[in-house]
Structure formats: structure tokens, C-alpha cells
Amino acid sequence: MVRTRLGWVAAAAVTLVAGLGCAIGTVPSQGDGNGAAGRGSAPSADEANATVRAAIGDVERFWTAAYPELSGGAAFRKVSGGYHPYTKQDPPPACGGQRPEYQPNAFYCPTGDFIAWDAEVLIPQLAADYGRLLVAVVVAHEYGHAVQERLGLTEQPTIVLEQQADCFAGSWIADVAAGHSDAFTAPQPQQLDNTVAGLLSLRDQPGVPAQAPQAHGNAFDRVRALQEGIEQGPARCAKYSADNLPVTEIPFSSRDEAASGGDLPYGRAVTELGNDVQAYWQRVFPQLTGSAWSPLKVQPFDPASAPQCRDRQPAAAESAFYCPSGDFVAFDNRQLGPQLYQHIGDNAVGMLLGDLFARAVQVRRGRSADGRAGQLTVDCLAGTWANDLLHRGPGDGLRLSPGDLDEAVAALLVFGRAGTSGDASAFDRIGAFRNGVLGGLRGCA
């Protein structure tokens, strides 16, 4: 259906929230409250690189404790080739046969057993845009590659190795959250949301096939790997292989799709996505409840003449809601919908419609859509529609295009930051959505 551009999509999503703040809630500062900068206080390059050094020491502390369980009792060996910040004037050391040159990057060199990072542009920029935790996650990811070398896990496709390193980074986050670190405090929900936003900016360009030699994964898959590391620990990460990794990254299916990016025009997106989610629940709702699905009316509206509803859900949102008493869903078709489309893509509109319909599903089956648990169930149910779209073939109607799942992630960041999620963070909402995408209705059991 749609794609978003490589680069700074997540930043665009954050900007969109600020633009819609009056409509759908209070917008928090982008700073993460843990040594990271807010919009008005960007860290210096020295401060950002001090975070790298602190992260290196703390990740080594983590692996010293965790590695023996993965290695059958062998002790962890720290990186022996050193740590190398570099700049445009002072490039990194040579790695293997490659001539050293400047790139805004961070990397682990297996032949030299060292870690290097761009101390001039990349690290300061990530710290300013997304906070201290993302900088540390970058370090933990690169150290994950060193762990792969030590465990002999390197005979896998690149996309497996990269997402395994993301998973290892998530296992370090879980260790910090457990209170084992003296260098970092337990991450707050906003820090995790900022880290997801950073992963959006570091994902593969939509249309890159998972089999490509340098594929790292789309943001949806990279966030999944990070969350699996947090939830299940390094033992789960070490089992990653080409046979068990649920990769959703797909190439464009035709030249026409690549040329358009898979985008539907906004008006068609609203109509066709609305019709598709309606048909999906007409087919699936009886499996969930044993009852038939009655058509749910969709009301795009102008804020100057919003439909009235005495029990709208979510109550804090004036821009998009389900009305139980009138049994309809409605959304602002003048600002909210067009801006989601313009700044993220048409599947951000799909995520909005999917969430509204899933809220109606939850209420119609007599369950609560309120609070953290209700919101996460709604997001999971919305993910089941995405699961259906993901597995359709040519000729089966609408289907997901490269980048669509990343757009859903970006939309959930917008919704989470807008203050309409109860106690559920965007990070948690993305995890619930992922369960529905990968597991279908069983994933929401």
C-alpha cells in the first residue's frame, strides 16, 4: 500500500505529533530524562561520546556475567583491539583489507576485534534527536557482533546477524531495567519510545529484500528483535537463525509498485482501507465471538462539524474515536488523516482505521477497551488485520507493500506520544501490535 523514506521518518513523526498536539493531546518533550537532551538542550559531542564510553563499560559488565551461560562456562573476553572514535579529519583504523575512510557509522571489525564510531556527526546527532539510551543501544548492538564472533554464530545471513545484535542489545536493556547497572538508570517509557524512533531512522530502505548482502531489517523487525531481547534474554537471541527468524522485509513486486512506493492516493486510502478492514472483521469476527459482524459506519469529519457522541472512546481524543452508543467510528479528515498520510504514509491511516475498528470489536464482544490492558488488546487485534494483509498474494485485494509495517510503527509512536493510550507506552503498543501481526488472532489470546 505505501512506504516511507529512509532516513528521518521518525523525526517527521515526532514533528507531526507536535503539529497535532491541540487535537489529540499534550506532547511531551523529546528529551528522555536520563542524560539525554530535550529539544532545547542538545548534548555536546563530548557528552555524547562520554555516553559511548559509559555504555562500553556497562555492556562489558553485562556480558561478563551473561556470557558463560551461553558458552558452556567459558569466560567472556573483552574486545582486544580497542575502541576508536573517529572524525572526518581522523578516519577509523583499517578493517581487514578495507582502506579507512570516513562514514557516519558505528561498526565492529572482526579482523581487528575493535569497535569504532563516528564521534563527529552520528553519535552526537543520535543523542540530540533520540537520547542517551539509543546511543547506548548502538554500542550494545556493535558489541553484540563481537559476542557473535566469540560464540561462533557468524555463519548466518547478514539480516540474521544484525537482528541478533539488536536482540542482544535488548537483553542489555533488560539487565539495566533490573537495576544491575551503575552507569544507566532503568529506562522510562519515553526513553524506550525514543529508541524505537531511532530504529525507524536506522532501518533499511523500503524495498530492500531480506536476502540482500547488507540487509539489516525494516524497523518493525528490528524493534521485534530488540523487544525479544528485553522480554526473553540473550539465550533467545543466541538461537536466531535463518530458519526461525520471522522476517517481514519484502521487495517491491513490480516496477510500478516501486515507482509509486506502493502508495494509494489519500482519498482512495481512506475508502479502500476502510472497506478492507470492514470486510476483514465481517469474515473474522464470527470466529472470535460466534456472532455475525454488523457493518460499522466510518465517519470522516471536519473538526468544525464533528459528530456528537456522549460516550466516545478514547475519551481524551477529539480527533479519532469509536462511539458505542451510535456504533460508529470517526476521525478528523481535515488535519489528522491528511497529516498522518503526508508525514508517514497511507498505512498510518490504515493503522488509525485498524485501531478504531479493533476498539469497536472489543466493545462489541463485551470486553473493555479502556486502560492499559484494553488498549494493548485493541492494538493486537489491529495487528491481526495487518497479518491478513501481509499474507495475501497478487490478486487478493489490498496487501502490504515494503515500508507499510514501519509506517504502522511510526503511527503508534504518534498515538502514544499524543496521550491517548491510557497507561500503555508506544513501546508496549508496538509490542502488542507485533503479536497480532505475527500470530494472528492466536497472538492476541
Side-chain angles (χ1 to χ4, degrees):
M1 291 177 292
V2 63
R3 70 172 177 88
T4 47
R5 295 180 181 178
L6 175 70
W8 301 104
V9 174
V14 172
T15 302
L16 172 62
V17 180
L20 296 175
C22 294
I24 56 177
T26 303
V27 183
S29 165
Q30 195 173 350
D32 66 11
N34 192 15
R39 290 187 177 98
S41 57
S44 67
D46 286 344
E47 290 170 331
N49 285 286
T51 296
V52 174
R53 294 290 186 180
I56 287 170
D58 201 64
V59 171
E60 288 179 339
R61 171 202 59 77
F62 166 68
W63 281 115
T64 298
Y67 184 85
E69 185 175 346
L70 302 183
S71 65
F76 176 65
R77 293 179 291 107
K78 298 179 181 180
V79 165
S80 62
Y83 308 98
H84 303 277
Y86 63 85
T87 65
K88 294 174 184 176
Q89 300 302 317
D90 183 17
C95 180
Q98 295 182 345
R99 187 179 67 179
E101 60 180 27
Y102 173 81
Q103 289 184 337
N105 200 1
F107 64 92
Y108 166 70
C109 176
T111 55
D113 196 31
F114 67 79
I115 292 174
W117 66 93
D118 171 21
E120 184 174 357
V121 176
L122 177 69
I123 293 301
Q125 191 67 54
L126 292 179
D129 288 345
Y130 304 110
R132 190 179 186 221
L133 181 61
L134 179 63
V135 171
V137 165
V138 169
V139 173
H141 172 99
E142 299 307 333
Y143 224 122
H145 289 308
V147 172
Q148 289 167 343
E149 286 287 329
R150 284 151 173 74
L151 291 173
L153 300 175
T154 57
E155 297 301 318
Q156 294 285 351
T158 300
I159 195 166
V160 175
L161 297 176
E162 294 300 334
Q163 291 184 30
Q164 186 176 62
D166 289 333
C167 186
F168 281 148
S171 66
W172 168 77
I173 291 177
D175 189 73
V176 173
H180 299 155
S181 172
D182 293 330
F184 294 85
T185 59
Q188 299 301 305
Q190 186 180 334
Q191 294 172 283
L192 294 172
D193 291 354
N194 285 344
T195 299
V196 170
L199 288 177
L200 269 168
S201 76
L202 298 171
R203 76 197 191 284
D204 287 341
Q205 184 173 3
V208 172
Q211 297 78 19
Q214 297 301 318
H216 283 53
N218 59 20
F220 179 85
D221 289 341
R222 297 196 68 178
V223 172
R224 184 216 72 246
L226 186 80
Q227 290 181 319
E228 283 191 343
I230 292 173
E231 295 166 359
Q232 301 181 45
R236 166 67 182 124
C237 310
K239 294 177 182 177
Y240 274 18
S241 72
D243 296 329
N244 64 25
L245 195 66
V247 173
T248 64
E249 191 160 44
I250 54 175
F252 289 113
S253 60
S254 67
R255 290 183 179 180
D256 289 343
E257 185 182 37
S260 68
D263 280 321
L264 291 170
Y266 175 71
R268 281 185 59 196
V270 171
T271 300
E272 294 184 25
L273 287 164
N275 290 341
D276 197 273
V277 68
Q278 186 93 251
Y280 170 74
W281 283 113
Q282 188 170 16
R283 175 163 44 89
V284 172
F285 190 72
Q287 301 173 25
L288 192 65
T289 65
S291 303
W293 174 263
S294 15
L296 180 65
K297 187 176 180 180
V298 180
Q299 295 190 29
F301 65 83
D302 186 312
S305 56
Q308 297 300 307
C309 179
R310 57 181 169 78
D311 55 356
R312 66 179 61 198
Q313 291 195 355
E318 299 297 325
S319 294
F321 58 89
Y322 168 60
C323 180
S325 57
D327 199 27
F328 65 86
V329 294
F331 68 93
D332 173 3
N333 195 38
R334 186 176 183 87
Q335 292 185 351
L336 176 62
Q339 288 192 37
L340 285 171
Y341 179 86
Q342 178 183 354
H343 290 281
I344 302 176
D346 68 352
N347 201 39
V349 179
M351 187 70 236
L352 175 66
L353 289 168
D355 220 56
L356 290 173
F357 266 75
R359 186 169 292 274
V361 168
Q362 190 71 341
V363 173
R364 282 183 173 190
R365 67 180 185 140
R367 306 290 180 84
S368 174
D370 296 328
R372 183 177 186 276
Q375 182 61 66
L376 295 182
T377 302
V378 165
D379 294 322
C380 189
L381 292 171
T384 70
W385 175 43
N387 171 280
D388 192 70
L389 291 165
L390 181 65
H391 292 99
R392 294 178 189 175
D396 291 338
L398 288 182
R399 57 186 176 77
L400 294 185
S401 289
D404 276 348
L405 288 174
D406 289 0
E407 290 176 357
V409 169
L412 284 169
L413 280 172
V414 169
F415 303 155
R417 289 176 184 271
T420 61
S421 302
D423 295 327
S425 69
F427 188 80
D428 290 337
R429 293 188 63 179
I430 291 164
F433 176 72
R434 177 198 75 211
N435 290 339
V437 172
L438 297 181
L441 286 176
R442 290 184 179 180
C444 306

